[in-house]
PDB file of all heavy atoms in Angstrom:
ATOM      1  N   PRO A   1      31.505  -3.957 281.854  1.00  0.00           N
ATOM      2  CA  PRO A   1      30.490  -4.317 282.814  1.00  0.00           C
ATOM      3  C   PRO A   1      31.086  -4.890 284.118  1.00  0.00           C
ATOM      4  O   PRO A   1      31.938  -5.798 284.034  1.00  0.00           O
ATOM      5  CB  PRO A   1      29.627  -5.351 282.119  1.00  0.00           C
ATOM      6  CG  PRO A   1      30.501  -5.924 281.067  1.00  0.00           C
ATOM      7  CD  PRO A   1      31.426  -4.796 280.639  1.00  0.00           C
ATOM      8  N   PRO A   2      30.700  -4.391 285.281  1.00  0.00           N
ATOM      9  CA  PRO A   2      31.245  -4.959 286.545  1.00  0.00           C
ATOM     10  C   PRO A   2      30.918  -6.417 286.722  1.00  0.00           C
ATOM     11  O   PRO A   2      31.719  -7.160 287.292  1.00  0.00           O
ATOM     12  CB  PRO A   2      30.560  -4.080 287.605  1.00  0.00           C
ATOM     13  CG  PRO A   2      30.242  -2.799 286.934  1.00  0.00           C
ATOM     14  CD  PRO A   2      29.880  -3.193 285.523  1.00  0.00           C
ATOM     15  N   GLY A   3      29.764  -6.864 286.229  1.00  0.00           N
ATOM     16  CA  GLY A   3      29.427  -8.285 286.272  1.00  0.00           C
ATOM     17  C   GLY A   3      29.508  -8.831 284.868  1.00  0.00           C
ATOM     18  O   GLY A   3      28.586  -8.719 284.080  1.00  0.00           O
ATOM     19  N   PRO A   4      30.639  -9.488 284.508  1.00  0.00           N
ATOM     20  CA  PRO A   4      30.859  -9.842 283.117  1.00  0.00           C
ATOM     21  C   PRO A   4      30.089 -11.098 282.643  1.00  0.00           C
ATOM     22  O   PRO A   4      30.053 -11.355 281.445  1.00  0.00           O
ATOM     23  CB  PRO A   4      32.355 -10.129 283.050  1.00  0.00           C
ATOM     24  CG  PRO A   4      32.746 -10.509 284.442  1.00  0.00           C
ATOM     25  CD  PRO A   4      31.820  -9.739 285.360  1.00  0.00           C
ATOM     26  N   ALA A   5      29.486 -11.828 283.560  1.00  0.00           N
ATOM     27  CA  ALA A   5      28.829 -13.083 283.154  1.00  0.00           C
ATOM     28  C   ALA A   5      27.703 -13.403 284.117  1.00  0.00           C
ATOM     29  O   ALA A   5      27.732 -13.008 285.290  1.00  0.00           O
ATOM     30  CB  ALA A   5      29.836 -14.227 283.099  1.00  0.00           C
ATOM     31  N   ALA A   6      26.719 -14.155 283.615  1.00  0.00           N
ATOM     32  CA  ALA A   6      25.626 -14.656 284.455  1.00  0.00           C
ATOM     33  C   ALA A   6      25.422 -16.109 284.076  1.00  0.00           C
ATOM     34  O   ALA A   6      25.446 -16.471 282.898  1.00  0.00           O
ATOM     35  CB  ALA A   6      24.329 -13.864 284.204  1.00  0.00           C
ATOM     36  N   ALA A   7      25.221 -16.966 285.066  1.00  0.00           N
ATOM     37  CA  ALA A   7      25.072 -18.385 284.832  1.00  0.00           C
ATOM     38  C   ALA A   7      23.643 -18.859 285.116  1.00  0.00           C
ATOM     39  O   ALA A   7      22.935 -18.278 285.925  1.00  0.00           O
ATOM     40  CB  ALA A   7      26.053 -19.177 285.690  1.00  0.00           C
ATOM     41  N   ARG A   8      23.241 -19.922 284.449  1.00  0.00           N
ATOM     42  CA  ARG A   8      21.919 -20.516 284.637  1.00  0.00           C
ATOM     43  C   ARG A   8      22.043 -22.040 284.538  1.00  0.00           C
ATOM     44  O   ARG A   8      23.013 -22.586 284.021  1.00  0.00           O
ATOM     45  CB  ARG A   8      20.916 -20.019 283.572  1.00  0.00           C
ATOM     46  CG  ARG A   8      20.632 -18.523 283.561  1.00  0.00           C
ATOM     47  CD  ARG A   8      19.836 -18.091 284.768  1.00  0.00           C
ATOM     48  NE  ARG A   8      19.399 -16.705 284.673  1.00  0.00           N
ATOM     49  CZ  ARG A   8      20.077 -15.664 285.134  1.00  0.00           C
ATOM     50  NH1 ARG A   8      21.237 -15.896 285.755  1.00  0.00           N
ATOM     51  NH2 ARG A   8      19.611 -14.458 285.018  1.00  0.00           N
ATOM     52  N   PHE A   9      21.015 -22.716 285.054  1.00  0.00           N
ATOM     53  CA  PHE A   9      20.946 -24.176 285.041  1.00  0.00           C
ATOM     54  C   PHE A   9      19.876 -24.630 284.034  1.00  0.00           C
ATOM     55  O   PHE A   9      18.829 -23.991 283.933  1.00  0.00           O
ATOM     56  CB  PHE A   9      20.614 -24.694 286.439  1.00  0.00           C
ATOM     57  CG  PHE A   9      20.499 -26.200 286.546  1.00  0.00           C
ATOM     58  CD1 PHE A   9      21.623 -26.991 286.676  1.00  0.00           C
ATOM     59  CD2 PHE A   9      19.225 -26.779 286.534  1.00  0.00           C
ATOM     60  CE1 PHE A   9      21.490 -28.370 286.772  1.00  0.00           C
ATOM     61  CE2 PHE A   9      19.097 -28.184 286.680  1.00  0.00           C
ATOM     62  CZ  PHE A   9      20.242 -28.962 286.771  1.00  0.00           C
ATOM     63  N   LEU A  10      20.127 -25.708 283.318  1.00  0.00           N
ATOM     64  CA  LEU A  10      19.151 -26.235 282.352  1.00  0.00           C
ATOM     65  C   LEU A  10      18.387 -27.368 282.968  1.00  0.00           C
ATOM     66  O   LEU A  10      18.964 -28.483 283.200  1.00  0.00           O
ATOM     67  CB  LEU A  10      19.877 -26.701 281.076  1.00  0.00           C
ATOM     68  CG  LEU A  10      20.195 -25.682 280.002  1.00  0.00           C
ATOM     69  CD1 LEU A  10      21.211 -24.675 280.526  1.00  0.00           C
ATOM     70  CD2 LEU A  10      20.677 -26.343 278.743  1.00  0.00           C
ATOM     71  N   PRO A  11      17.095 -27.226 283.210  1.00  0.00           N
ATOM     72  CA  PRO A  11      16.288 -28.347 283.787  1.00  0.00           C
ATOM     73  C   PRO A  11      15.876 -29.360 282.715  1.00  0.00           C
ATOM     74  O   PRO A  11      15.410 -30.440 283.025  1.00  0.00           O
ATOM     75  CB  PRO A  11      15.057 -27.626 284.362  1.00  0.00           C
ATOM     76  CG  PRO A  11      14.913 -26.403 283.523  1.00  0.00           C
ATOM     77  CD  PRO A  11      16.313 -25.984 283.124  1.00  0.00           C
ATOM     78  N   GLN A  12      16.069 -28.985 281.449  1.00  0.00           N
ATOM     79  CA  GLN A  12      15.717 -29.874 280.348  1.00  0.00           C
ATOM     80  C   GLN A  12      16.648 -29.600 279.170  1.00  0.00           C
ATOM     81  O   GLN A  12      17.360 -28.604 279.145  1.00  0.00           O
ATOM     82  CB  GLN A  12      14.269 -29.648 279.928  1.00  0.00           C
ATOM     83  CG  GLN A  12      14.006 -28.201 279.488  1.00  0.00           C
ATOM     84  CD  GLN A  12      12.552 -27.830 279.477  1.00  0.00           C
ATOM     85  OE1 GLN A  12      11.722 -28.469 280.103  1.00  0.00           O
ATOM     86  NE2 GLN A  12      12.193 -26.780 278.720  1.00  0.00           N
ATOM     87  N   ASP A  13      16.683 -30.539 278.183  1.00  0.00           N
ATOM     88  CA  ASP A  13      17.498 -30.314 277.016  1.00  0.00           C
ATOM     89  C   ASP A  13      17.083 -29.018 276.296  1.00  0.00           C
ATOM     90  O   ASP A  13      15.902 -28.667 276.256  1.00  0.00           O
ATOM     91  CB  ASP A  13      17.328 -31.505 276.040  1.00  0.00           C
ATOM     92  CG  ASP A  13      17.942 -32.788 276.541  1.00  0.00           C
ATOM     93  OD1 ASP A  13      18.506 -32.769 277.669  1.00  0.00           O
ATOM     94  OD2 ASP A  13      17.852 -33.791 275.828  1.00  0.00           O
ATOM     95  N   VAL A  14      18.096 -28.380 275.693  1.00  0.00           N
ATOM     96  CA  VAL A  14      17.863 -27.174 274.915  1.00  0.00           C
ATOM     97  C   VAL A  14      18.535 -27.311 273.586  1.00  0.00           C
ATOM     98  O   VAL A  14      19.695 -27.784 273.507  1.00  0.00           O
ATOM     99  CB  VAL A  14      18.355 -25.909 275.652  1.00  0.00           C
ATOM    100  CG1 VAL A  14      18.341 -24.717 274.702  1.00  0.00           C
ATOM    101  CG2 VAL A  14      17.495 -25.641 276.902  1.00  0.00           C
ATOM    102  N   GLU A  15      17.852 -26.991 272.501  1.00  0.00           N
ATOM    103  CA  GLU A  15      18.457 -26.938 271.179  1.00  0.00           C
ATOM    104  C   GLU A  15      18.941 -25.486 270.948  1.00  0.00           C
ATOM    105  O   GLU A  15      18.146 -24.575 270.982  1.00  0.00           O
ATOM    106  CB  GLU A  15      17.445 -27.317 270.119  1.00  0.00           C
ATOM    107  CG  GLU A  15      17.060 -28.804 270.124  1.00  0.00           C
ATOM    108  CD  GLU A  15      18.253 -29.717 269.786  1.00  0.00           C
ATOM    109  OE1 GLU A  15      19.071 -29.316 268.919  1.00  0.00           O
ATOM    110  OE2 GLU A  15      18.328 -30.815 270.370  1.00  0.00           O
ATOM    111  N   LEU A  16      20.237 -25.333 270.731  1.00  0.00           N
ATOM    112  CA  LEU A  16      20.804 -24.013 270.571  1.00  0.00           C
ATOM    113  C   LEU A  16      21.882 -24.006 269.539  1.00  0.00           C
ATOM    114  O   LEU A  16      22.822 -24.810 269.596  1.00  0.00           O
ATOM    115  CB  LEU A  16      21.348 -23.547 271.942  1.00  0.00           C
ATOM    116  CG  LEU A  16      21.924 -22.141 272.025  1.00  0.00           C
ATOM    117  CD1 LEU A  16      20.859 -21.078 271.712  1.00  0.00           C
ATOM    118  CD2 LEU A  16      22.496 -21.902 273.414  1.00  0.00           C
ATOM    119  N   LEU A  17      21.753 -23.129 268.596  1.00  0.00           N
ATOM    120  CA  LEU A  17      22.740 -22.991 267.512  1.00  0.00           C
ATOM    121  C   LEU A  17      23.075 -24.339 266.841  1.00  0.00           C
ATOM    122  O   LEU A  17      24.206 -24.680 266.543  1.00  0.00           O
ATOM    123  CB  LEU A  17      24.029 -22.362 268.067  1.00  0.00           C
ATOM    124  CG  LEU A  17      23.869 -20.906 268.590  1.00  0.00           C
ATOM    125  CD1 LEU A  17      25.156 -20.425 269.275  1.00  0.00           C
ATOM    126  CD2 LEU A  17      23.537 -19.949 267.430  1.00  0.00           C
ATOM    127  N   GLY A  18      22.016 -25.100 266.612  1.00  0.00           N
ATOM    128  CA  GLY A  18      22.155 -26.398 265.935  1.00  0.00           C
ATOM    129  C   GLY A  18      22.729 -27.505 266.780  1.00  0.00           C
ATOM    130  O   GLY A  18      23.039 -28.609 266.247  1.00  0.00           O
ATOM    131  N   GLN A  19      22.853 -27.298 268.074  1.00  0.00           N
ATOM    132  CA  GLN A  19      23.382 -28.343 268.961  1.00  0.00           C
ATOM    133  C   GLN A  19      22.417 -28.580 270.120  1.00  0.00           C
ATOM    134  O   GLN A  19      21.622 -27.719 270.452  1.00  0.00           O
ATOM    135  CB  GLN A  19      24.749 -27.896 269.540  1.00  0.00           C
ATOM    136  CG  GLN A  19      25.830 -27.640 268.504  1.00  0.00           C
ATOM    137  CD  GLN A  19      27.149 -27.276 269.132  1.00  0.00           C
ATOM    138  OE1 GLN A  19      27.651 -27.983 269.987  1.00  0.00           O
ATOM    139  NE2 GLN A  19      27.695 -26.171 268.688  1.00  0.00           N
ATOM    140  N   ARG A  20      22.549 -29.761 270.690  1.00  0.00           N
ATOM    141  CA  ARG A  20      21.744 -30.106 271.870  1.00  0.00           C
ATOM    142  C   ARG A  20      22.585 -29.879 273.120  1.00  0.00           C
ATOM    143  O   ARG A  20      23.684 -30.401 273.258  1.00  0.00           O
ATOM    144  CB  ARG A  20      21.282 -31.559 271.824  1.00  0.00           C
ATOM    145  CG  ARG A  20      20.379 -31.947 273.016  1.00  0.00           C
ATOM    146  CD  ARG A  20      19.982 -33.427 272.934  1.00  0.00           C
ATOM    147  NE  ARG A  20      21.156 -34.287 273.207  1.00  0.00           N
ATOM    148  CZ  ARG A  20      21.540 -34.659 274.412  1.00  0.00           C
ATOM    149  NH1 ARG A  20      20.884 -34.302 275.490  1.00  0.00           N
ATOM    150  NH2 ARG A  20      22.623 -35.438 274.546  1.00  0.00           N
ATOM    151  N   VAL A  21      22.051 -29.045 274.012  1.00  0.00           N
ATOM    152  CA  VAL A  21      22.711 -28.845 275.322  1.00  0.00           C
ATOM    153  C   VAL A  21      21.886 -29.677 276.314  1.00  0.00           C
ATOM    154  O   VAL A  21      20.684 -29.401 276.498  1.00  0.00           O
ATOM    155  CB  VAL A  21      22.728 -27.356 275.724  1.00  0.00           C
ATOM    156  CG1 VAL A  21      23.490 -27.200 277.043  1.00  0.00           C
ATOM    157  CG2 VAL A  21      23.393 -26.535 274.610  1.00  0.00           C
ATOM    158  N   PRO A  22      22.500 -30.662 276.961  1.00  0.00           N
ATOM    159  CA  PRO A  22      21.701 -31.608 277.780  1.00  0.00           C
ATOM    160  C   PRO A  22      21.199 -31.021 279.081  1.00  0.00           C
ATOM    161  O   PRO A  22      21.807 -30.129 279.650  1.00  0.00           O
ATOM    162  CB  PRO A  22      22.662 -32.763 278.020  1.00  0.00           C
ATOM    163  CG  PRO A  22      24.032 -32.161 277.905  1.00  0.00           C
ATOM    164  CD  PRO A  22      23.908 -31.074 276.896  1.00  0.00           C
ATOM    165  N   ALA A  23      20.091 -31.551 279.544  1.00  0.00           N
ATOM    166  CA  ALA A  23      19.531 -31.197 280.856  1.00  0.00           C
ATOM    167  C   ALA A  23      20.602 -31.434 281.918  1.00  0.00           C
ATOM    168  O   ALA A  23      21.406 -32.384 281.824  1.00  0.00           O
ATOM    169  CB  ALA A  23      18.314 -32.001 281.169  1.00  0.00           C
ATOM    170  N   GLY A  24      20.603 -30.567 282.924  1.00  0.00           N
ATOM    171  CA  GLY A  24      21.606 -30.672 283.981  1.00  0.00           C
ATOM    172  C   GLY A  24      22.864 -29.878 283.748  1.00  0.00           C
ATOM    173  O   GLY A  24      23.727 -29.807 284.599  1.00  0.00           O
ATOM    174  N   SER A  25      22.946 -29.234 282.542  1.00  0.00           N
ATOM    175  CA  SER A  25      24.116 -28.430 282.228  1.00  0.00           C
ATOM    176  C   SER A  25      24.056 -27.061 282.886  1.00  0.00           C
ATOM    177  O   SER A  25      23.015 -26.572 283.252  1.00  0.00           O
ATOM    178  CB  SER A  25      24.246 -28.254 280.709  1.00  0.00           C
ATOM    179  OG  SER A  25      24.439 -29.492 280.068  1.00  0.00           O
ATOM    180  N   ALA A  26      25.230 -26.462 283.001  1.00  0.00           N
ATOM    181  CA  ALA A  26      25.336 -25.049 283.399  1.00  0.00           C
ATOM    182  C   ALA A  26      25.624 -24.240 282.154  1.00  0.00           C
ATOM    183  O   ALA A  26      26.511 -24.583 281.352  1.00  0.00           O
ATOM    184  CB  ALA A  26      26.422 -24.861 284.430  1.00  0.00           C
ATOM    185  N   MET A  27      24.903 -23.114 281.990  1.00  0.00           N
ATOM    186  CA  MET A  27      25.124 -22.222 280.863  1.00  0.00           C
ATOM    187  C   MET A  27      25.569 -20.868 281.382  1.00  0.00           C
ATOM    188  O   MET A  27      24.963 -20.342 282.295  1.00  0.00           O
ATOM    189  CB  MET A  27      23.837 -22.040 280.059  1.00  0.00           C
ATOM    190  CG  MET A  27      23.963 -21.039 278.918  1.00  0.00           C
ATOM    191  SD  MET A  27      25.036 -21.615 277.584  1.00  0.00           S
ATOM    192  CE  MET A  27      23.984 -22.904 276.868  1.00  0.00           C
ATOM    193  N   VAL A  28      26.669 -20.360 280.833  1.00  0.00           N
ATOM    194  CA  VAL A  28      27.191 -19.060 281.186  1.00  0.00           C
ATOM    195  C   VAL A  28      26.914 -18.075 280.069  1.00  0.00           C
ATOM    196  O   VAL A  28      27.307 -18.310 278.933  1.00  0.00           O
ATOM    197  CB  VAL A  28      28.705 -19.092 281.501  1.00  0.00           C
ATOM    198  CG1 VAL A  28      29.223 -17.711 281.835  1.00  0.00           C
ATOM    199  CG2 VAL A  28      28.964 -20.049 282.661  1.00  0.00           C
ATOM    200  N   PHE A  29      26.207 -17.013 280.378  1.00  0.00           N
ATOM    201  CA  PHE A  29      25.947 -15.958 279.407  1.00  0.00           C
ATOM    202  C   PHE A  29      27.017 -14.900 279.606  1.00  0.00           C
ATOM    203  O   PHE A  29      27.073 -14.220 280.631  1.00  0.00           O
ATOM    204  CB  PHE A  29      24.540 -15.388 279.651  1.00  0.00           C
ATOM    205  CG  PHE A  29      23.448 -16.371 279.415  1.00  0.00           C
ATOM    206  CD1 PHE A  29      22.777 -16.946 280.491  1.00  0.00           C
ATOM    207  CD2 PHE A  29      23.116 -16.794 278.140  1.00  0.00           C
ATOM    208  CE1 PHE A  29      21.764 -17.856 280.308  1.00  0.00           C
ATOM    209  CE2 PHE A  29      22.132 -17.717 277.924  1.00  0.00           C
ATOM    210  CZ  PHE A  29      21.449 -18.271 279.007  1.00  0.00           C
ATOM    211  N   LEU A  30      27.860 -14.748 278.569  1.00  0.00           N
ATOM    212  CA  LEU A  30      28.994 -13.835 278.650  1.00  0.00           C
ATOM    213  C   LEU A  30      28.563 -12.414 278.291  1.00  0.00           C
ATOM    214  O   LEU A  30      28.709 -11.981 277.133  1.00  0.00           O
ATOM    215  CB  LEU A  30      30.137 -14.330 277.726  1.00  0.00           C
ATOM    216  CG  LEU A  30      30.772 -15.649 278.175  1.00  0.00           C
ATOM    217  CD1 LEU A  30      31.761 -16.141 277.122  1.00  0.00           C
ATOM    218  CD2 LEU A  30      31.462 -15.491 279.509  1.00  0.00           C
ATOM    219  N   VAL A  31      28.044 -11.762 279.229  1.00  0.00           N
ATOM    220  CA  VAL A  31      27.487 -10.411 279.048  1.00  0.00           C
ATOM    221  C   VAL A  31      28.543  -9.462 278.489  1.00  0.00           C
ATOM    222  O   VAL A  31      28.257  -8.642 277.601  1.00  0.00           O
ATOM    223  CB  VAL A  31      26.906  -9.893 280.396  1.00  0.00           C
ATOM    224  CG1 VAL A  31      26.604  -8.400 280.333  1.00  0.00           C
ATOM    225  CG2 VAL A  31      25.669 -10.702 280.781  1.00  0.00           C
ATOM    226  N   ALA A  32      29.750  -9.546 279.054  1.00  0.00           N
ATOM    227  CA  ALA A  32      30.801  -8.630 278.586  1.00  0.00           C
ATOM    228  C   ALA A  32      31.163  -8.882 277.140  1.00  0.00           C
ATOM    229  O   ALA A  32      31.517  -7.931 276.394  1.00  0.00           O
ATOM    230  CB  ALA A  32      32.060  -8.776 279.452  1.00  0.00           C
ATOM    231  N   ALA A  33      31.057 -10.125 276.679  1.00  0.00           N
ATOM    232  CA  ALA A  33      31.296 -10.435 275.246  1.00  0.00           C
ATOM    233  C   ALA A  33      30.124  -9.907 274.418  1.00  0.00           C
ATOM    234  O   ALA A  33      30.307  -9.349 273.322  1.00  0.00           O
ATOM    235  CB  ALA A  33      31.471 -11.915 275.067  1.00  0.00           C
ATOM    236  N   ALA A  34      28.922 -10.115 274.893  1.00  0.00           N
ATOM    237  CA  ALA A  34      27.719  -9.687 274.149  1.00  0.00           C
ATOM    238  C   ALA A  34      27.705  -8.170 273.982  1.00  0.00           C
ATOM    239  O   ALA A  34      27.272  -7.671 272.914  1.00  0.00           O
ATOM    240  CB  ALA A  34      26.474 -10.140 274.896  1.00  0.00           C
ATOM    241  N   ASN A  35      28.171  -7.448 274.983  1.00  0.00           N
ATOM    242  CA  ASN A  35      28.191  -5.996 274.934  1.00  0.00           C
ATOM    243  C   ASN A  35      29.178  -5.448 273.909  1.00  0.00           C
ATOM    244  O   ASN A  35      29.172  -4.239 273.633  1.00  0.00           O
ATOM    245  CB  ASN A  35      28.528  -5.412 276.304  1.00  0.00           C
ATOM    246  CG  ASN A  35      27.343  -5.385 277.228  1.00  0.00           C
ATOM    247  OD1 ASN A  35      26.217  -5.665 276.854  1.00  0.00           O
ATOM    248  ND2 ASN A  35      27.588  -5.024 278.494  1.00  0.00           N
ATOM    249  N   ARG A  36      30.020  -6.323 273.358  1.00  0.00           N
ATOM    250  CA  ARG A  36      30.948  -5.910 272.284  1.00  0.00           C
ATOM    251  C   ARG A  36      30.741  -6.684 271.009  1.00  0.00           C
ATOM    252  O   ARG A  36      31.683  -6.866 270.226  1.00  0.00           O
ATOM    253  CB  ARG A  36      32.390  -6.029 272.793  1.00  0.00           C
ATOM    254  CG  ARG A  36      32.714  -5.116 273.970  1.00  0.00           C
ATOM    255  CD  ARG A  36      34.204  -4.868 274.081  1.00  0.00           C
ATOM    256  NE  ARG A  36      34.574  -4.134 275.275  1.00  0.00           N
ATOM    257  CZ  ARG A  36      35.791  -3.661 275.515  1.00  0.00           C
ATOM    258  NH1 ARG A  36      36.773  -3.859 274.631  1.00  0.00           N
ATOM    259  NH2 ARG A  36      36.056  -3.000 276.614  1.00  0.00           N
ATOM    260  N   ASP A  37      29.512  -7.103 270.789  1.00  0.00           N
ATOM    261  CA  ASP A  37      29.167  -7.851 269.594  1.00  0.00           C
ATOM    262  C   ASP A  37      28.896  -6.874 268.455  1.00  0.00           C
ATOM    263  O   ASP A  37      27.993  -6.043 268.556  1.00  0.00           O
ATOM    264  CB  ASP A  37      27.958  -8.715 269.906  1.00  0.00           C
ATOM    265  CG  ASP A  37      27.631  -9.683 268.745  1.00  0.00           C
ATOM    266  OD1 ASP A  37      28.238  -9.528 267.644  1.00  0.00           O
ATOM    267  OD2 ASP A  37      26.757 -10.540 268.935  1.00  0.00           O
ATOM    268  N   ASP A  38      29.660  -6.992 267.365  1.00  0.00           N
ATOM    269  CA  ASP A  38      29.458  -6.033 266.259  1.00  0.00           C
ATOM    270  C   ASP A  38      28.157  -6.278 265.496  1.00  0.00           C
ATOM    271  O   ASP A  38      27.792  -5.533 264.608  1.00  0.00           O
ATOM    272  CB  ASP A  38      30.667  -6.024 265.311  1.00  0.00           C
ATOM    273  CG  ASP A  38      30.932  -7.362 264.675  1.00  0.00           C
ATOM    274  OD1 ASP A  38      30.097  -8.294 264.781  1.00  0.00           O
ATOM    275  OD2 ASP A  38      32.036  -7.525 264.075  1.00  0.00           O
ATOM    276  N   ARG A  39      27.444  -7.348 265.839  1.00  0.00           N
ATOM    277  CA  ARG A  39      26.096  -7.558 265.280  1.00  0.00           C
ATOM    278  C   ARG A  39      25.081  -6.646 265.933  1.00  0.00           C
ATOM    279  O   ARG A  39      24.018  -6.398 265.365  1.00  0.00           O
ATOM    280  CB  ARG A  39      25.655  -9.019 265.479  1.00  0.00           C
ATOM    281  CG  ARG A  39      26.530 -10.033 264.767  1.00  0.00           C
ATOM    282  CD  ARG A  39      26.358 -11.441 265.343  1.00  0.00           C
ATOM    283  NE  ARG A  39      27.331 -12.369 264.779  1.00  0.00           N
ATOM    284  CZ  ARG A  39      28.590 -12.464 265.182  1.00  0.00           C
ATOM    285  NH1 ARG A  39      29.038 -11.697 266.171  1.00  0.00           N
ATOM    286  NH2 ARG A  39      29.404 -13.326 264.621  1.00  0.00           N
ATOM    287  N   GLN A  40      25.438  -6.130 267.108  1.00  0.00           N
ATOM    288  CA  GLN A  40      24.541  -5.235 267.855  1.00  0.00           C
ATOM    289  C   GLN A  40      25.021  -3.818 267.887  1.00  0.00           C
ATOM    290  O   GLN A  40      24.244  -2.878 267.893  1.00  0.00           O
ATOM    291  CB  GLN A  40      24.412  -5.778 269.286  1.00  0.00           C
ATOM    292  CG  GLN A  40      23.529  -4.954 270.195  1.00  0.00           C
ATOM    293  CD  GLN A  40      22.036  -5.060 269.855  1.00  0.00           C
ATOM    294  OE1 GLN A  40      21.651  -5.966 269.095  1.00  0.00           O
ATOM    295  NE2 GLN A  40      21.220  -4.170 270.367  1.00  0.00           N
ATOM    296  N   PHE A  41      26.360  -3.622 267.923  1.00  0.00           N
ATOM    297  CA  PHE A  41      26.935  -2.306 268.071  1.00  0.00           C
ATOM    298  C   PHE A  41      27.962  -2.004 266.967  1.00  0.00           C
ATOM    299  O   PHE A  41      28.749  -2.907 266.618  1.00  0.00           O
ATOM    300  CB  PHE A  41      27.660  -2.173 269.453  1.00  0.00           C
ATOM    301  CG  PHE A  41      26.780  -2.476 270.602  1.00  0.00           C
ATOM    302  CD1 PHE A  41      26.856  -3.719 271.258  1.00  0.00           C
ATOM    303  CD2 PHE A  41      25.893  -1.550 271.103  1.00  0.00           C
ATOM    304  CE1 PHE A  41      26.052  -4.017 272.334  1.00  0.00           C
ATOM    305  CE2 PHE A  41      25.091  -1.808 272.219  1.00  0.00           C
ATOM    306  CZ  PHE A  41      25.153  -3.065 272.814  1.00  0.00           C
ATOM    307  N   ASP A  42      27.919  -0.803 266.447  1.00  0.00           N
ATOM    308  CA  ASP A  42      28.958  -0.393 265.476  1.00  0.00           C
ATOM    309  C   ASP A  42      30.298  -0.163 266.206  1.00  0.00           C
ATOM    310  O   ASP A  42      30.340   0.526 267.206  1.00  0.00           O
ATOM    311  CB  ASP A  42      28.527   0.896 264.789  1.00  0.00           C
ATOM    312  CG  ASP A  42      27.292   0.689 263.905  1.00  0.00           C
ATOM    313  OD1 ASP A  42      27.123  -0.445 263.377  1.00  0.00           O
ATOM    314  OD2 ASP A  42      26.524   1.653 263.722  1.00  0.00           O
ATOM    315  N   ASP A  43      31.343  -0.720 265.616  1.00  0.00           N
ATOM    316  CA  ASP A  43      32.703  -0.546 266.177  1.00  0.00           C
ATOM    317  C   ASP A  43      32.711  -0.730 267.683  1.00  0.00           C
ATOM    318  O   ASP A  43      33.100   0.179 268.461  1.00  0.00           O
ATOM    319  CB  ASP A  43      33.212   0.866 265.803  1.00  0.00           C
ATOM    320  CG  ASP A  43      34.726   1.008 265.965  1.00  0.00           C
ATOM    321  OD1 ASP A  43      35.380  -0.010 266.260  1.00  0.00           O
ATOM    322  OD2 ASP A  43      35.224   2.157 265.885  1.00  0.00           O
ATOM    323  N   PRO A  44      32.297  -1.889 268.170  1.00  0.00           N
ATOM    324  CA  PRO A  44      32.018  -2.070 269.604  1.00  0.00           C
ATOM    325  C   PRO A  44      33.247  -2.017 270.486  1.00  0.00           C
ATOM    326  O   PRO A  44      33.117  -1.780 271.704  1.00  0.00           O
ATOM    327  CB  PRO A  44      31.396  -3.453 269.689  1.00  0.00           C
ATOM    328  CG  PRO A  44      31.910  -4.154 268.484  1.00  0.00           C
ATOM    329  CD  PRO A  44      32.057  -3.122 267.426  1.00  0.00           C
ATOM    330  N   GLU A  45      34.470  -2.230 269.944  1.00  0.00           N
ATOM    331  CA  GLU A  45      35.664  -2.168 270.766  1.00  0.00           C
ATOM    332  C   GLU A  45      36.085  -0.709 271.057  1.00  0.00           C
ATOM    333  O   GLU A  45      36.996  -0.489 271.859  1.00  0.00           O
ATOM    334  CB  GLU A  45      36.819  -2.890 270.078  1.00  0.00           C
ATOM    335  CG  GLU A  45      36.548  -4.358 269.744  1.00  0.00           C
ATOM    336  CD  GLU A  45      36.506  -5.229 270.933  1.00  0.00           C
ATOM    337  OE1 GLU A  45      36.859  -4.787 272.060  1.00  0.00           O
ATOM    338  OE2 GLU A  45      36.083  -6.422 270.797  1.00  0.00           O
TER     339      GLU A  45
END
C-alpha cells in the first residue's frame, strides 16, 4: 500500500485488547501490516 499507516487522536479513554488507552493518545493503524494478516488472508506474504 502506498499509504502504509493512518493515525487518529483519542478524545476519550478506549478499552482495546484488554488494555486502557488514555484520552489524548495518538493511535496509528498499520494498514500495511493489516493487509498481510493471516487471520484475514491466506498466505498473505
Side-chain angles (χ1 to χ4, degrees):
R8 298 289 189 268
F9 179 82
L10 276 66
Q12 58 198 21
D13 290 0
V14 169
E15 290 295 324
L16 183 61
L17 296 173
Q19 299 182 54
R20 183 182 69 87
V21 183
S25 297
M27 177 68 73
V28 177
F29 297 105
L30 293 173
V31 168
N35 280 353
R36 296 201 186 189
D37 187 350
D38 59 11
R39 297 161 187 81
Q40 179 71 15
F41 304 101
D42 292 332
D43 196 7
E45 303 288 351

